[in-house]
């Protein structure tokens, strides 16, 4: 069963960069994209993702708010907050909701620990 990753970022370029890093590490995984929190909910209405990569700085709702809402819907979903805004408060808030933290720009090296851990969690959940 393929794994589906939701990438949420209001920057199309950032979604492309994250998608390329994901494809370099897990080429067989499916990718869904959304440019906002509202679009993310439209996307997941038709297909539930297995994990999510969410930008912190978005206009209508920040990534931590969206991650918190997804956590309610999907309590076990691996979620990573992606941002260039590396502040202790943001990292602490991400940890409070059980989300990982990945610094921008997203590279395969930066994403690999999160994806490896997520793959293990998903495999054990499906077994």
């Amino acid at each position: 069963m393929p794994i589906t990753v939701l990438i949420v970022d209001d920057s199309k370029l950032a979604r492309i960069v994250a998608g390329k890093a994901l494809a370099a590490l897990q080429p067989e995984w499916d990718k869904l994209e959304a440019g906002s929190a509202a679009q993310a909910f439209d996307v997941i209405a038709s297909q539930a993702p297995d994990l999510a990569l969410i930008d912190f700085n978005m206009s209508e709702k920040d990534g931590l708010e969206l991650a918190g809402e997804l956590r309610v819907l999907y309590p076990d979903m691996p979620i990573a907050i992606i941002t260039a805004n590396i502040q202790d408060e943001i990292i602490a808030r991400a940890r409070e909701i059980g989300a990982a933290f990945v610094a921008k720009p997203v590279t395969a090296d930066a994403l690999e620990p999160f994806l490896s851990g997520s793959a293990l969690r998903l495999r054990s959940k499906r077994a």
Side-chain angles (χ1 to χ4, degrees), residues 11 29 41 56 58-59 76 93 98:
S11 164
W29 288 11
F41 283 107
F56 173 71
M58 294 189 290
S59 57
D76 298 324
R93 286 176 56 204

Side-chain angles (χ1 to χ4, degrees), residues 46-101:
S46 62
Q47 184 176 1
D50 296 297
L51 62 115
L53 305 172
I54 304 171
D55 180 37
F56 173 71
N57 290 310
M58 294 189 290
S59 57
E60 68 192 44
K61 186 181 290 191
D62 77 37
L64 287 170
E65 291 177 80
L66 174 58
E69 292 169 0
L70 289 176
R71 179 63 66 225
V72 171
L73 294 172
Y74 307 103
D76 298 324
M77 176 192 289
I79 298 173
I81 300 298
I82 301 169
T83 185
N85 191 349
I86 304 170
Q87 296 177 14
D88 290 342
E89 176 192 345
I90 294 168
I91 295 169
R93 286 176 56 204
R95 287 186 178 141
E96 284 174 18
I97 59 171
F101 180 85

